[in-house]
Amino acid sequence: MIFVMAAIIIFSIPGLMLIWSTAYVKSIKKENVRWKLLVSLQLLLIIAGMIVHIYLLRSYGFPMLQTRIETWVSMGFILLICGFMLILNFIITKKLGSQSPTHNSKVVNIITGCFALYFFIILFIAAPLGEKVAFAVSINEAIEAANKTNNEEFSVVLVNSEKDCLRRSSQHCRNQAYKNHYFIKNNMGKKQEVQVKLRALNSNNEEMKVIDSKIMTLKPGELQLLETEETNEDASVWNKYSFQTDGKVYQYQQKIRF
């Protein structure tokens, strides 16, 4: 979550400054608005973001685009927000008239377009970038942990058990479940089908959940996210998790069948 928020904040700074400058361009001198600097900074961030996306594609095999469902949800959000702004602008313009000194419909349309572009950058470049980086870090941690137990046929490791929120004290965060990311690695010298039964325990070694993984096929030395019936098949690989629990997983027991 930290990587996602960091990416959104970094990509938002020039975009929001541009929108603010557009909204208040009449109250400040045009020459005081550093349009070229803000646009250049935004373009540099987009180029840098795309370079990182390409690097993650080549290094980890992460697709450049989200899944079709995630794309439609993001596009629907943009159309909903910007469509509401355009309809509201149309109604206000109809009431006050196009020559109203208190309402400039052209400026509102420009701001709406800026918001559409801003949301597109955030939802299709910045947020996925943060999610991909976070998942890449999890993969590296899983590889490091799995290499310590490569004397077994299969290594099963828990990388993290956390909530998708930053303010842990908020009511919204308290009501969220913990998402658990388990990884499994094939240490055998041949392709193998495997299934894992996991027993998740809390800090008091009390059982929270017992769940079976899907039957997975792993190549020699291959590491994958351990998928269960709770893993969302419609999500991008970097948005997937193994399963959820009401509390944080501190310990776990496993039975491996192959």
Side-chain angles (χ1 to χ4, degrees):
M1 194 65 185
I2 294 176
F3 291 101
V4 178
M5 290 304 300
I8 290 174
I9 291 171
I10 292 170
F11 276 80
S12 294
I13 293 172
L16 291 178
M17 288 181 68
L18 272 171
I19 294 172
W20 180 86
S21 300
T22 303
Y24 294 97
V25 72
K26 280 194 171 182
S27 61
I28 56 179
K29 293 181 179 179
K30 286 187 178 181
E31 57 267 22
N32 291 339
V33 181
R34 299 181 178 179
W35 303 98
K36 290 182 179 180
L37 176 63
L38 293 174
V39 172
S40 299
L41 182 58
Q42 189 69 73
L43 287 174
L44 283 173
L45 285 173
I46 292 172
I47 293 169
M50 295 308 298
I51 290 172
V52 178
H53 275 290
I54 294 170
Y55 168 78
L56 293 171
L57 169 65
R58 294 184 175 180
S59 300
Y60 296 92
F62 296 162
M64 289 290 291
L65 302 176
Q66 305 172 84
T67 63
R68 185 177 298 178
I69 291 178
E70 290 173 335
T71 300
W72 278 112
V73 169
S74 298
M75 290 299 297
F77 174 81
I78 296 172
L79 290 172
L80 183 67
I81 298 296
C82 296
F84 174 77
M85 291 177 67
L86 289 173
I87 292 171
L88 192 63
N89 181 38
F90 176 79
I91 294 172
I92 295 173
T93 304
K94 202 78 172 174
K95 272 191 172 184
L96 300 178
S98 58
Q99 303 299 323
S100 172
T102 58
H103 177 71
N104 191 325
S105 61
K106 290 182 178 179
V107 172
V108 175
N109 288 333
I110 293 172
I111 292 173
T112 302
C114 290
F115 267 114
L117 183 59
Y118 166 74
F119 285 129
F120 183 87
I121 293 170
I122 295 300
L123 295 175
F124 288 94
I125 299 177
L129 180 63
E131 290 163 351
K132 288 180 181 181
V133 171
F135 195 66
V137 171
S138 295
I139 290 175
N140 291 337
E141 291 177 358
I143 292 172
E144 185 178 346
N147 288 338
K148 295 177 182 178
T149 58
N150 58 8
N151 56 324
E152 303 172 0
E153 288 91 351
F154 292 90
S155 300
V156 178
V157 295
L158 171 64
V159 173
N160 54 55
S161 177
E162 59 186 13
K163 298 182 178 183
D164 275 346
C165 53
L166 290 176
R167 292 182 59 198
R168 301 297 171 89
S169 59
S170 66
Q171 185 64 37
H172 171 71
C173 192
R174 284 197 294 267
N175 293 334
Q176 278 195 358
Y178 283 82
K179 293 182 179 180
N180 305 291
H181 292 82
Y182 284 84
F183 288 82
I184 182 169
K185 181 184 177 186
N186 181 7
N187 297 321
M188 303 176 70
K190 59 179 180 178
K191 190 176 181 180
Q192 196 74 46
E193 286 188 343
V194 61
Q195 186 178 33
V196 182
K197 180 184 286 292
L198 285 170
R199 182 169 178 256
L201 309 173
N202 62 17
S203 57
N204 297 319
N205 282 334
E206 296 171 336
E207 180 183 294
M208 291 189 292
K209 179 174 284 188
V210 176
I211 192 167
D212 291 319
S213 74
K214 296 178 180 178
I215 297 175
M216 302 176 65
T217 302
L218 298 175
K219 299 175 183 176
E222 184 179 9
L223 179 136
Q224 285 189 23
L225 178 75
L226 190 68
E227 297 188 4
T228 69
E229 60 184 11
E230 295 186 20
T231 305
N232 187 1
E233 291 296 329
D234 295 323
S236 299
V237 62
W238 52 86
N239 282 326
K240 290 183 177 180
Y241 54 86
S242 300
F243 58 89
Q244 293 182 327
T245 49
D246 293 331
K248 184 175 182 177
V249 177
Y250 284 87
Q251 301 288 337
Y252 62 94
Q253 297 170 347
Q254 65 192 42
K255 285 185 179 179
I256 299 175
R257 182 169 64 89
F258 62 93

